[in-house]
Amino acid sequence: MNRILFTFFWMFTVIPGNFSYGQGIASGLNANDCLELFYINSNNNLCYRQQSKPGGDWSDEFVYLDTVNRVYLEKNPDNSLELFYIDQDNDLYRARKDLPGNDWFPGDLFRKNVIAICIIPNSDEHLQMFYLLEDQSVKYRKQTNSEGIWSDE
């Protein structure tokens, strides 16, 4: 049985269950202070689990997508979560979850030919992103409002 061990606020948590960790993992707190977890399993599926309440039990594994290379998760100023993932074709997609308990909105194509990204909130907590393209150029985009609208390159 494989288990993932990660640290959060100086505490160790073991997520129960039988699942295998592949190439990426990302977690974040939703507006209800429950953790939401995305990970890429050994079959390159993007899988999802969430806590039922803060510090509570974990949901069963849900396969969100097939053939994903990398995964990133970040919180918006309105406490919604933004999920970014890079597929096997190096296309970057963005999905959003506005409220805890709601479903994730489907992923929309954000940019083609992306190798890696870095996401960080700025001083007003809006997200900004740097991404590396296949041609080794670096591009930048930022959120322009709290509804998750992003600037052009």
Side-chain angles (χ1 to χ4, degrees):
M1 175 183 341
N2 294 326
R3 294 178 184 245
I4 295 175
L5 181 69
F6 65 97
T7 58
F8 187 74
F9 294 117
W10 301 105
M11 295 169 39
F12 291 93
T13 304
V14 175
I15 301 171
N18 295 320
F19 60 96
S20 58
Y21 166 71
Q23 300 182 21
I25 187 166
S27 66
L29 283 175
N30 64 27
N32 288 345
D33 291 328
C34 294
L35 284 170
E36 302 204 20
L37 175 70
F38 284 90
Y39 56 93
I40 301 169
N41 69 14
S42 57
N43 296 322
N44 288 332
N45 296 322
L46 180 59
C47 300
Y48 171 73
R49 296 179 80 182
Q50 67 180 348
Q51 283 183 311
S52 58
K53 62 182 180 181
D57 294 332
W58 286 88
S59 68
D60 291 334
E61 177 180 273
F62 172 74
V63 176
Y64 185 74
L65 289 168
D66 294 331
T67 62
V68 173
N69 282 339
R70 289 182 173 68
V71 61
Y72 309 85
L73 187 67
E74 192 61 63
K75 186 183 279 194
N76 287 309
D78 65 358
N79 288 325
S80 63
L81 294 174
E82 296 242 4
L83 172 70
F84 294 90
Y85 53 91
I86 299 173
D87 70 7
Q88 300 289 66
D89 297 322
N90 288 337
D91 293 336
L92 174 64
Y93 288 86
R94 171 190 167 255
R96 182 178 167 100
K97 185 174 186 180
D98 57 355
L99 296 172
N102 285 5
D103 291 333
W104 282 88
F105 294 118
D108 296 320
L109 182 63
F110 200 75
R111 180 67 159 88
K112 290 185 160 291
N113 307 315
V114 176
I115 297 172
I117 68 172
C118 174
I119 306 169
I120 188 167
N122 59 23
S123 60
D124 67 1
E125 297 183 0
H126 288 95
L127 301 179
Q128 47 193 346
M129 177 192 304
F130 296 92
Y131 45 98
L132 177 64
L133 300 179
E134 290 173 345
D135 67 3
Q136 301 301 302
S137 63
V138 176
K139 301 293 183 180
Y140 170 79
R141 289 177 74 177
K142 64 180 180 177
Q143 285 182 329
T144 58
N145 64 27
S146 296
E147 286 76 45
I149 305 300
W150 287 79
S151 68
D152 294 329
E153 290 180 356

